[in-house]
Amino acid sequence: MHPIEAESFRRLRARLDTSHFPPLTRAVVERVIHSAADLEYATDLVMEEGVLERAHAALHAGAPVVVDVEMVAAGITRRETVCRLKDAEPGPGLTRSAHAVRLAYEEVGPGALWVIGCAPTALEELLALDADPALVIGLPVGFVGAAESKAALRESGLPAVSNVSEKGGSAVAAAALNALLYHPVSSPTTPFASPVPPVSKEKP
């Protein structure tokens, strides 16, 4: 980890106690907060540790990663991603982002990790499909449809990371996926390790 990044996480932890979160939840919360410099994500994000554990295993076993826009893909540097937005076309009752989701599902099939950080309609289309995802990181941003689409994701019962408010975006969605990518794979006798330096009680 670069010294500037390590110092950033140290300051984050000095301002916010994340030690009560289980390992993967803590990793996601910290990465998202780090990407946005927004401590409110600690209470805004919604996820379950067991869901993250299964998604983490699927990701490190090679499950495909699908993103809704290239900006999300640009933030994920350790894994190739699928983005079909350039190939998509809008139609009656169908946005370009929604069509891109259909095209991506035709390509990857069930068991993928979906990372949606821009378009609420992409998340809505994914919910309409029988996609059987390993995980849906649903963090679209906006005043129209974003909070509603994320609420629908939570109500769907799909394995997910979401947030309650209207905020979100490509950077935070990529950060949530990166938290799972960067987190080490545990062995049967080794618990999950922390992806960032130990907490320092020293004030920033």
Side-chain angles (χ1 to χ4, degrees), residues 32-125:
V32 167
I33 290 174
H34 177 260
S35 73
D38 187 345
L39 297 175
E40 291 182 357
Y41 274 110
T43 54
D44 191 38
L45 287 165
V46 181
M47 69 196 97
E48 297 179 5
E49 185 71 6
V51 166
L52 295 180
E53 289 173 354
R54 292 186 288 275
H56 180 266
L59 180 63
H60 287 273
V65 176
V66 183
V67 301
D68 62 332
V69 292
E70 293 290 348
M71 284 296 291
V72 176
I76 300 170
T77 58
R78 294 190 184 180
R79 176 65 67 86
E80 293 294 322
T81 61
V82 174
C83 182
R84 297 297 303 274
L85 191 62
K86 290 181 179 179
D87 305 315
E89 297 180 358
L94 186 72
T95 67
R96 187 175 171 220
S97 295
H99 187 217
V101 166
R102 292 187 185 181
L103 294 175
Y105 179 65
E106 290 173 2
E107 179 177 342
V108 303
L113 289 88
W114 294 76
V115 189
I116 296 175
C118 181
T121 57
L123 182 52
E124 292 166 0
E125 182 64 23

Side-chain angles (χ1 to χ4, degrees), residues 68-198:
D68 62 332
V69 292
E70 293 290 348
M71 284 296 291
V72 176
I76 300 170
T77 58
R78 294 190 184 180
R79 176 65 67 86
E80 293 294 322
T81 61
V82 174
C83 182
R84 297 297 303 274
L85 191 62
K86 290 181 179 179
D87 305 315
E89 297 180 358
L94 186 72
T95 67
R96 187 175 171 220
S97 295
H99 187 217
V101 166
R102 292 187 185 181
L103 294 175
Y105 179 65
E106 290 173 2
E107 179 177 342
V108 303
L113 289 88
W114 294 76
V115 189
I116 296 175
C118 181
T121 57
L123 182 52
E124 292 166 0
E125 182 64 23
L126 180 60
L127 295 179
L129 298 173
D130 186 18
D132 191 20
L135 183 70
V136 180
I137 296 175
L139 296 170
V141 61
F143 292 115
V144 179
E148 293 83 355
S149 67
K150 289 178 280 194
L153 172 60
R154 291 190 293 275
E155 292 169 4
S156 74
L158 292 176
V161 174
S162 67
N163 69 306
V164 175
S165 72
E166 295 162 326
K167 63 187 176 184
S170 298
V172 297
L177 192 280
N178 284 336
L180 301 181
L181 272 177
Y182 299 165
H183 208 282
V185 178
S186 64
S187 69
T189 58
T190 304
F192 285 114
S194 173
V196 291

